Amino acid sequence: MADAMEIDIPAPKGVKRKAEDARFPPSPKRIKALDQDVVNKIAAGEIIVAPMHALKELIENAVDAGSTSLEIAVKDGGLKLLQITDNGHGINKDDLPILCERFTTSKLKAFEDLTSIATYGFRGEALASISHIAHLTITTKTADSSCAWRAYYMDGQLAPPKPGQSSDPKPTAGRPGTQITVEDLFYNVPQRQKAFKSPSEEYAKILDVVGRYAVHCSGVAFSCKKHGESSMSISVTPGSGTIDRIRQIHGGAVANELVEFEVNDKKWAFQASGWATNANYHVKKTTILLFINHRSVESSGLKSAVQRTYSIFLPKGGHPFVYLSLEIDPARVDVNVHPTKREVNFLNEDEIIKMICDSISQELSKVDTSRAFTTQSLLPGTRIPSASISHSNRSASSTSKSATPRPPPESQSKSAQKPYENNLVRTDPSLRKITSMLRQNTDEQAGSAAPELVYNVIERPHMQIRLASVKELRSKVRSAMHGGLTEVFTTHTFVGMVDTLRRIIAIQSGVKLYLVDYGMICNEYFYQIGLTDFGNFGSIEFEQPLDIRALIKIAADIEMQSSENSIDLSQVPDRVTNALLAKREMLFEYFNMGISDTGQLTCLPLLVKGYMPSLAKLPRFLMRLGPCVNWVKETDCFKTFLTELASFYTPEQLPNPPRDSSNGDSTAESANGVENPPSEDDETRARRDQLSHMLEHVLFPAFKSRLVATKGLLKGVVEVANLKGLYRVFERC
């Protein structure tokens, strides 16, 4: 009898294996280098994510080659065919053998060249990546060549057009420039091919890429169409201006409402210009064409800042169109941070974005004196809706019963439903605030004008901070960010001061009202400013230098008087002064805190323009720099010093203004255990008015763009009212 056939019986599913049955490898797996073909395909998948990315790389190469005309043909959303033809300089025949090898480029020689790169491409990976995931054909002709040359590529190397033929470039007829044909994109990556939804969607993305560069690249003609069709999806002539290009691509509704803006600053080494729609235009989605050093990129920070700027001018749900060309010193830009070069990093991003948004807001304010509204003529016999009658018509209708409008039909009333009141949000905080309803003393109103601060601008080079300790402290702040709370401060509206003794302010975000401990929030904000502007602070200069020993002695005497235990602090002034003298060079370099060799304080760091800390806290601040700052370890030194500096800058507690005894508020205050003084001096009143002004007009507006609300701030913010919740309460009453 023949032996039974040996077969492997698979283990039943859902059965737990015993430890001895689990075939664990006897030793760890060895690390091996990947095959070069696998490495190239992985790199190609990171750089060429979709047909639009391949076309973006080809457009940038064509513009770098000095082209003035680009013709693009697409089939099946770029997956079947993607062809671009230009009239640039062309490619030398001798360079064709290495053209599609990785890291072969004519735009970069040394790594240091990245600091001054001014071209679109620089890595030499685009054509190499395309050749590993598609069939690539290049036809090129230079000005001094008698004919064009055609070459076929596969996996980064020259390939024969047909089996058995030579892979060398073949002479052919052609016009000056280069034609690149990409066929069967992702033919060897079936998973990537299946991920694309439809060719029409990919073609729409391709048109978006072509449209962006067609708007920006002045003097270059662009045309894009589907392969085999005669009509052009995009057609731009080389002589068209920026507005004409926007009109041809995005329509006349956008082009007719554009305003030009321009801003530059030598300190931050940038120049920005562009076009933005005015308040007459708004759509459901924000469109931003952003070019940084002529490279199409995205910036979530700029987009949110632009949306906040337009929220004042546009109705709720309306969004603008903005084209922005931003040129920054190449030494301040890091272009090598994303495989597809979609994002870039640059220094002083917050400051540059703020100046751009301020310029847009200024231009919008100039044209916001008039609005355009669409009207429609009424046909004969049509009844006039009651909502369209003006106040003068209503007064006239009282004398004539025949002019009284009839109520609209039921079908019309249903279509014109009003929004629910519990979803309404106050969008214009300048109309009236809750503090305007409170009674104010005439003396207080007369002295409420805060004194203006005078600043002198001194040009000095910006210091680039590459200290690992500072980067570590910044990363800790970012890792502790609370997204919801940050959004509250980003979109908040200042309501008013509640209590200066407890340091409480009311703000509104959406349909919610919050009470905020502004002392805690300011402390965290000044600490973050210290990290952000590290080494680049302004200075508060004293007309007469202050003796550090004398100031610390004042703080030590107050500490000994208020302490229950008898502590001898007589040696503290000398010790702390000596410690500061030993570190005065470091303090001036990093924190702009000036100390003379004789122990005189000449200047303090300026964190925020428009805000002045209380100099009454200066003696205690100097005294705490001795025992509370770790002068040994670098990271701990910076952290503890900035903590003390933030504490010094934090607004101090001030007594509330005295109540008028005639309105009966004194009894309520006594019941809460808080007694306000019957009168106060002019200095306290002036400081409280100055502090209220700086909180409303300087600090809280700065929180919108520069505060990263950390999780520790949750205990300093309390929700006290929700409009939707209040409506539920009123419905039950």
Side-chain angles (χ1 to χ4, degrees), residues 162-448:
K162 294 182 180 179
Q165 296 182 358
S166 173
S167 61
D168 294 335
K170 305 294 190 299
T172 183
R175 61 185 184 182
T178 303
Q179 183 183 78
I180 299 179
T181 305
V182 180
E183 298 176 290
D184 303 323
L185 190 62
F186 300 115
Y187 75 95
N188 53 358
V189 191
Q191 297 85 356
R192 184 66 63 85
Q193 271 191 335
K194 295 178 181 178
F196 299 115
K197 296 181 180 179
S198 65
S200 59
E201 184 175 343
E202 296 305 315
Y203 185 65
K205 295 178 181 178
I206 287 176
L207 291 180
D208 179 69
V209 172
V210 177
R212 288 174 179 268
Y213 282 93
V215 170
H216 179 72
C217 298
S218 58
V220 181
F222 283 83
S223 64
C224 181
K225 67 175 184 177
K226 291 185 178 180
H227 181 71
E229 296 186 2
S230 58
S231 60
M232 296 287 181
S233 300
I234 290 179
S235 179
V236 178
T237 60
S240 301
T242 302
I243 294 183
D244 294 333
R245 291 170 179 261
I246 294 176
R247 178 178 286 106
Q248 295 179 29
I249 296 171
H250 297 277
V254 179
N256 294 335
E257 305 295 344
L258 290 174
V259 293
E260 188 176 10
F261 63 92
E262 186 174 355
V263 60
N264 59 78
D265 188 88
K266 294 182 179 180
K267 179 180 180 182
W268 307 123
F270 83 96
Q271 181 177 359
S273 60
W275 296 84
T277 52
N278 57 28
N280 293 328
Y281 176 86
H282 58 88
V283 289
K284 296 181 179 180
K285 185 179 179 182
T286 301
T287 302
I288 297 182
L289 310 183
L290 174 61
F291 287 81
I292 298 182
N293 289 353
H294 306 288
R295 188 185 307 278
S296 177
V297 295
E298 297 177 1
S299 173
S300 57
L302 177 66
K303 183 177 181 179
S304 60
V306 169
Q307 289 176 341
R308 288 195 300 269
T309 301
Y310 270 92
S311 63
I312 305 175
F313 301 93
L314 299 183
K316 185 178 181 181
H319 299 278
F321 170 92
V322 176
Y323 160 65
L324 171 62
S325 176
L326 178 59
E327 297 184 24
I328 309 177
D329 183 5
R332 292 171 171 259
V333 182
D334 186 1
V335 297
N336 194 27
V337 297
H338 196 276
T340 62
K341 298 189 282 289
R342 186 181 64 183
E343 300 176 1
V344 298
N345 291 341
F346 55 92
L347 298 177
N348 309 110
E349 181 176 355
D350 294 336
E351 291 80 0
I352 292 176
I353 290 177
K354 183 178 184 302
M355 294 185 67
I356 292 173
C357 291
D358 291 344
S359 177
I360 295 177
S361 178
Q362 183 178 3
E363 295 299 328
L364 291 177
S365 301
K366 294 179 181 178
V367 299
D368 196 36
T369 56
S370 63
R371 294 284 182 91
F373 298 95
T374 303
T375 61
Q376 181 176 357
S377 301
L378 292 175
L379 297 176
T382 305
R383 295 172 181 173
I384 303 176
S386 59
S388 64
I389 300 181
S390 63
H391 179 72
S392 59
N393 291 337
R394 286 198 299 268
S395 61
S397 65
S398 61
T399 61
S400 176
K401 294 184 179 180
S402 61
T404 304
R406 297 181 180 180
E410 184 179 356
S411 60
Q412 295 181 6
S413 61
K414 291 183 179 179
S415 61
Q417 294 180 352
K418 294 182 179 180
Y420 291 108
E421 289 84 351
N422 60 347
N423 289 326
L424 295 177
V425 181
R426 180 168 62 99
T427 58
D428 190 357
S430 63
L431 293 180
R432 190 178 186 187
K433 299 181 181 178
I434 194 172
T435 52
S436 63
M437 306 178 188
L438 304 179
R439 178 185 298 179
Q440 294 183 351
N441 297 330
T442 56
D443 296 339
E444 181 180 350
Q445 294 176 355
S448 60

Side-chain angles (χ1 to χ4, degrees), residues 32-39 42:
K32 298 180 180 179
L34 288 175
D35 184 72
Q36 191 63 34
D37 182 63
V38 177
V39 173
I42 292 175

Side-chain angles (χ1 to χ4, degrees), residues 533-547:
D533 298 343
F534 189 92
N536 296 283
F537 298 113
S539 63
I540 303 175
E541 298 183 354
F542 300 106
E543 294 181 356
Q544 296 293 334
L546 306 177
D547 186 19

